[in-house]
Structures are given as C-alpha cells and as structure tokens.
Amino acid sequence: MAVDMRLPTVRKQLTDSLFSGTEGKHLVVPGDVITSDTGFMRGHGTYMDEEKLTASVAGEVERVNKLICVRPLKTRFNGEVGDVVVGRITEVQQKRWKVETNSRLDSVLLLSSVNLPGGELRRRSAEDELTMRHYLQEGDLISAEVQSVFSDGALSLHTRSLKYGKLGQGVLVQVSPSLVKRQKTHFHNLTCGASIILGNNGYVWLYPTPGHQDEEAGGYYTSMEPVPLSDREVISRLRNCLLALAAHKVLLYDTSVLYCYESSLSHQIKDILKPEIMEEIVMETRQRLEVQEG
C-alpha cells in the first residue's frame, strides 16, 4: 500500500500586502467595549454594560449613522428578499415543501410558488397537491430565490423562473455564508467547462455545463446521462479549490474561483488540499485578485 509522507518544512512569512485589507476594520470579540459614548443606539450583536456599548459576538463592527451593530464572522444564514439559495427538501407537507437552507429555521416552498410542468399558468388544484412528490420529494436539491421573510425569520422561497428548480448531477460544497460575495448573478458558466451556483446561504453547487435547457419541463427535468471523465475531473478540481479558498477565508465569486482553478492546474487534484500546496495556490490567487482590483 502506497503511503504519502511529507517532511516538516519552515512556514514562509506571509507578506504584509495580503493583510492590508483588514487594517481599516474594527474587529471585536465578546466582552469588548465598542464605545462608552451614550449617544449611540444599540444594534444586533451588542448590549449595554454599565453605560458602555459592549460586543456580544465576535465579528466586525458596522456603524450606520448612530446605530452600531456587530456582524458575526461565523453565523447561520440570515436571508433577505432576492437572495439565491441552494437547499434540500426535508419534508412534503400540505401545499408546501420544507427546505433546509442552512438558516435557523427550515424554509418554505409553497406549491403556488413553483412552475408547473409545461409552464402552465393556472390555480393549483387538489390533483396538483396529490402529485407534489412527482415534482419534488425528500432529499432533492433545489435552487430557489427568497420571495419573502416571515415574522419569525423563516424564509419563503419561489422557483418561478427556468433558471431555478430541481438540481441534477453535480457536487454540493458547504462553506460559511459570510464567504459568498453578493453579486448581480450567482449562476456562472465558467470557462473551464463547468458551471457553478453560488448560493447566498453558503451552499455551492458544481455541475457540468448543460448543452440545452428543456423549457417544457418547467425546471424539473434532470439529465441522468453519464458525465464524461473530463467533466468529473474539472468539477473535482473546482471542489478542492473552493475548500482551499474557504479554509483561507477568501471571498467566493466567479473570478476568485476561476483564478484559483488556473493556479491549481500545475498540481494533481488530490494534492490541492495538502496544507503547503493549498497555501501556495491561495496566495497566488490573492495576488492576482489584488492586481486585478488595482
């Protein structure tokens, strides 16, 4: 049996330029006094202690006029209207599906908030309710958009667009929601031959770029044809790149993922997650992003 042995090496000192982005940020841990000025209002992640505004979570201090709050660095997904999410069906209920979306409460996908096969526009009947499992059943992965937020914080989802719906063959990668950069679009066809859905909830879906979209299926058709080896290798490399970027707390968006993929091409897929190679790839990616941002 082949054993992979690596000798200890001296860690290289990271350049100061890699940390220049954190200089202007005010980071706190629980119990840190943010300010003793009584003119500020208390926001999320703070409390008053002996007339001093104190942090209750570890994170970055954000100030909007007189309101001060602390945005935690690691937290469950707090959805907002318009967010793109990737979730898993956990339960089929009356006229609705329960969806696990990495938030505090299960999200809800109503039967009236999905496209019917064929794109029919009509009221949902009792017959549609009986055939709900033909559309989506427990364990299915879906992409959806947050339609509204209930008073208790639970999310209401919808898939009323052909880009949303049931997901077919691919790989799910789970990262912290704070690492996914908010953008105009979270669906990207990468030039390396695969596609990616960057869910705002920290669930990232990698899949082979589809040749055509069957509009008659209304977002429920999933191809079960065998995926070529070349596509599987690209998806595996992208998956390891995502884990490497997440381990080094780099924001995930199409450019950073693509730069990391290109930096990793000189290494084998299985070697990307070795600590020293991971560090080298991420450092090169950070430097390219800094050059691009100018």
Side-chain angles (χ1 to χ4, degrees):
M1 189 174 92
V3 178
D4 183 19
M5 295 185 66
R6 289 173 290 140
L7 297 173
T9 56
V10 178
R11 287 176 70 89
K12 284 183 280 188
Q13 196 68 32
L14 296 176
T15 57
D16 293 336
S17 62
L18 294 178
F19 300 107
S20 58
T22 61
E23 285 173 5
K25 294 182 179 177
H26 183 188
L27 300 175
V28 291
V29 296
D32 279 1
V33 175
I34 300 170
T35 179
S36 53
D37 188 344
T38 54
F40 288 102
M41 288 164 53
R42 184 171 68 84
H44 290 296
T46 63
Y47 66 97
M48 294 301 293
D49 183 29
E50 298 177 356
E51 303 271 324
K52 294 176 183 174
L53 195 63
T54 311
S56 62
V57 294
E60 180 189 345
V61 177
E62 289 184 342
R63 178 182 161 188
V64 181
N65 298 328
K66 288 286 181 181
L67 177 70
I68 289 183
C69 56
V70 178
R71 187 164 63 89
L73 299 174
K74 191 173 183 182
T75 180
R76 282 279 188 168
F77 171 59
N78 292 314
E80 297 174 16
V81 175
D83 281 353
V84 174
V85 298
V86 173
R88 191 182 293 277
I89 304 290
T90 57
E91 203 176 333
V92 181
Q93 296 183 344
Q94 187 176 13
K95 293 188 179 177
R96 67 187 62 201
W97 291 271
K98 281 291 181 88
V99 189
E100 201 280 304
T101 53
N102 197 26
S103 50
R104 291 183 179 87
L105 298 167
D106 274 352
S107 303
V108 173
L109 176 64
L110 296 172
L111 179 59
S112 57
S113 300
V114 301
N115 277 338
L116 293 171
E120 292 179 75
L121 297 172
R122 58 175 173 79
R123 286 178 66 89
R124 308 301 189 265
S125 63
E127 190 180 335
D128 291 321
E129 201 176 329
L130 290 170
T131 57
M132 278 174 65
R133 281 182 200 276
H134 292 189
Y135 305 147
L136 297 166
Q137 59 184 357
E138 291 89 342
D140 283 349
L141 280 164
I142 61 164
S143 61
E145 186 179 306
V146 177
Q147 184 175 24
S148 60
V149 182
F150 295 121
S151 56
D152 62 354
L155 307 176
S156 176
L157 310 177
H158 82 88
T159 60
R160 283 202 214 93
S161 168
L162 285 177
K163 64 181 177 180
Y164 304 127
K166 187 175 173 181
L167 299 174
Q169 299 189 87
V171 173
L172 181 69
V173 183
Q174 298 183 21
V175 298
S176 172
S178 58
L179 291 177
V180 179
K181 186 177 181 180
R182 288 183 183 275
Q183 291 182 291
K184 258 184 186 174
T185 177
H186 286 254
F187 293 76
H188 302 285
N189 292 336
L190 302 176
T191 52
C192 57
S195 297
I196 187 170
I197 303 175
L198 290 158
N200 285 111
N201 59 335
Y203 288 1
V204 181
W205 181 251
L206 297 164
Y207 61 103
T209 304
H212 64 92
Q213 177 74 34
D214 187 2
E215 298 192 6
E216 288 298 310
Y220 295 106
Y221 171 74
T222 52
S223 171
M224 285 302 166
E225 293 177 7
V227 179
L229 177 63
S230 57
D231 286 352
R232 295 204 302 272
E233 286 178 343
V234 168
I235 290 170
S236 300
R237 185 177 291 276
L238 280 170
R239 180 243 180 208
N240 284 0
C241 288
L242 284 169
L243 292 176
L245 290 171
H248 286 77
K249 306 293 183 280
V250 178
L251 274 183
L252 301 177
Y253 54 107
D254 53 333
T255 311
S256 65
V257 173
L258 201 56
Y259 281 176
C260 187
Y261 176 87
E262 289 168 359
S263 301
S264 72
L265 288 173
S266 56
H267 302 283
Q268 287 188 27
I269 296 171
K270 63 179 182 180
D271 293 338
I272 296 172
L273 295 181
K274 291 179 180 175
E276 64 276 9
I277 293 175
M278 190 192 295
E279 197 172 313
E280 177 193 325
I281 291 169
V282 172
M283 196 181 295
E284 190 180 328
T285 305
R286 274 184 171 146
Q287 286 167 350
R288 286 186 67 183
L289 289 170
E290 278 182 13
V291 169
Q292 187 215 11
E293 288 164 7

